[in-house]
Amino acid sequence: MMRLSTFLAAVVAVLALHAPVRADDYPSKPISIVVSLAAGTGMDVVTRLYSEKLSQALGKPVIVENKPGAATTLAANQVANAPADGYTLVVLTSIALSINPTLYKHLNYDPADFVPISLYVKSPFILSTYPGLPAKTVPEFIKLAKASNPPLTYASIGAGSLQQMSMEFAKKRFGFEATHVPYRSTAQLATDLTAGHVSASFLEAGLSIPLIKDRKLRALAVSASQRLPLLPDVPPFSEASGAPDYEGVSWHMLLMPAKTPRPIADRLHAEMKRIMAAPDMREKIAAVGLIPNDSPSIEEMRDYIASEHVKWGALVKQLGLEGSQ
């Protein structure tokens, strides 16, 4: 027969599980942030910067765990299925939430499995060509692409990547052709592009900027809607092409399981908004080739994820890549 003390302890434990969560009771133990890209990447560097400040604000350790692989699906799956208690967060890119749900035939998570906490940076691409290509501006590139037979070639890190999507978006918007050449390695892609084996690529800023400064590549435009501080003379693609609707960027978003109590989500959102708005943090973000973003509200971020899913998911379907992975 169960002792009364044991029974009462069990009742207390059950009641604790169902007790209302208050923001001032959180956190009571370390928090983990799962990073979907490898250590040393821009995402990793920025996450480690704000994790220290978040730890100071919350009074508990914030541990960064890198879990790269499978186009960010490993990290996404882990956190989508984690307890919804605010102690396991994840940093994902737009690939995970706007492309993968259409690209993958079987995906063990859905964008609705997460509640967004902070959309704190945008990660632009640089439309880069090898220096020998006879096009020094975006209009010249589009004109050359329309006249080329056979078509120009462009490189990306694979089918369904945002690099490919950015070029395909431009192709459809401006009516030119270019043949996709996928690579498994960004290092090999950069080597072949500088050698002129492929004509162009939308490259990540961190990879392309050193090559541009060494004049091994020519920068035609930034895929974001604003200029990069590290490349102040390179115009946004939208400005250079006269197409204000053009933006092809990745973004970094901090999220947690969707059923996490709202007081916890609100607390973390407020802390992250304060931390990421600090001038020193914005300077450090710009220094790694990323663009600081004033994080919108949780509801606005949900709407943004949905709109990005519609935009890029439609392009994945048009390219015949739906369910190809």
Side-chain angles (χ1 to χ4, degrees), residues 130-177:
Y130 74 97
L133 191 75
K136 296 182 180 180
T137 65
V138 170
E140 289 178 2
F141 177 80
I142 293 172
K143 182 178 179 180
L144 177 65
K146 288 182 175 180
S148 294
N149 187 18
L152 297 180
T153 55
Y154 79 93
S156 85
I157 56 171
S161 67
L162 202 54
Q163 290 167 304
Q164 184 199 16
M165 296 293 107
S166 295
M167 185 63 83
E168 293 295 333
F169 189 39
K171 285 169 58 177
K172 290 185 178 298
R173 180 68 176 77
F174 298 101
F176 65 86
E177 291 299 323

Side-chain angles (χ1 to χ4, degrees), residues 26-27 29-33 58 60-63 86-89 268:
Y26 170 86
K29 62 181 181 179
I31 297 166
S32 294
I33 299 179
L58 298 176
K60 295 293 179 183
V62 177
I63 302 163
Y87 292 98
T88 306
L89 318 180
L268 287 175

Side-chain angles (χ1 to χ4, degrees), residues 215-230:
R215 298 187 178 182
K216 294 180 180 179
L217 289 177
R218 177 185 293 142
L220 301 188
V222 179
S223 67
S225 57
Q226 62 196 90
R227 293 176 187 248
L228 274 178
L230 294 178

Side-chain angles (χ1 to χ4, degrees), residues 12 28 36 72 139 155 166 173 210 218 229 246 251 256 279 291 301:
V12 169
S28 60
S36 57
T72 72
S166 295
R173 180 68 176 77
R218 177 185 293 142
Y246 183 91
W251 32 263
M256 58 173 49
I291 298 175
M301 284 187 282

Side-chain angles (χ1 to χ4, degrees), residues 76-228:
N77 286 338
Q78 176 180 331
V79 177
N81 294 292
D85 55 10
Y87 292 98
T88 306
L89 318 180
V90 65
V91 185
L92 296 175
T93 67
S94 49
I95 292 173
L97 300 173
S98 63
I99 293 178
N100 284 351
T102 308
L103 183 67
Y104 278 77
K105 193 171 188 177
H106 301 292
L107 203 61
N108 293 328
Y109 70 87
D110 185 274
D113 292 336
F114 302 96
V115 56
I117 299 302
S118 180
L119 171 55
Y120 54 89
V121 298
K122 289 188 176 182
S123 179
F125 301 106
I126 313 299
L127 177 56
S128 307
T129 68
Y130 74 97
L133 191 75
K136 296 182 180 180
T137 65
V138 170
E140 289 178 2
F141 177 80
I142 293 172
K143 182 178 179 180
L144 177 65
K146 288 182 175 180
S148 294
N149 187 18
L152 297 180
T153 55
Y154 79 93
S156 85
I157 56 171
S161 67
L162 202 54
Q163 290 167 304
Q164 184 199 16
M165 296 293 107
S166 295
M167 185 63 83
E168 293 295 333
F169 189 39
K171 285 169 58 177
K172 290 185 178 298
R173 180 68 176 77
F174 298 101
F176 65 86
E177 291 299 323
T179 302
H180 180 217
V181 182
Y183 283 80
R184 292 182 178 273
S185 161
T186 53
Q188 187 59 52
L189 186 162
T191 297
D192 281 6
L193 181 58
T194 56
H197 299 317
V198 285
S199 305
S201 179
F202 274 101
L203 288 180
E204 292 179 355
L207 174 64
S208 60
I209 288 174
L211 297 171
I212 291 164
K213 291 187 178 296
D214 288 343
R215 298 187 178 182
K216 294 180 180 179
L217 289 177
R218 177 185 293 142
L220 301 188
V222 179
S223 67
S225 57
Q226 62 196 90
R227 293 176 187 248
L228 274 178

Side-chain angles (χ1 to χ4, degrees), residues 15-52:
L15 291 175
L17 287 174
H18 297 280
V21 177
R22 294 170 50 193
D24 54 3
D25 294 331
Y26 170 86
S28 60
K29 62 181 181 179
I31 297 166
S32 294
I33 299 179
V34 181
V35 177
S36 57
L37 298 182
T41 58
M43 173 188 282
D44 177 68
V45 170
V46 174
T47 303
R48 292 180 187 277
L49 286 173
Y50 69 68
S51 67
E52 293 181 10

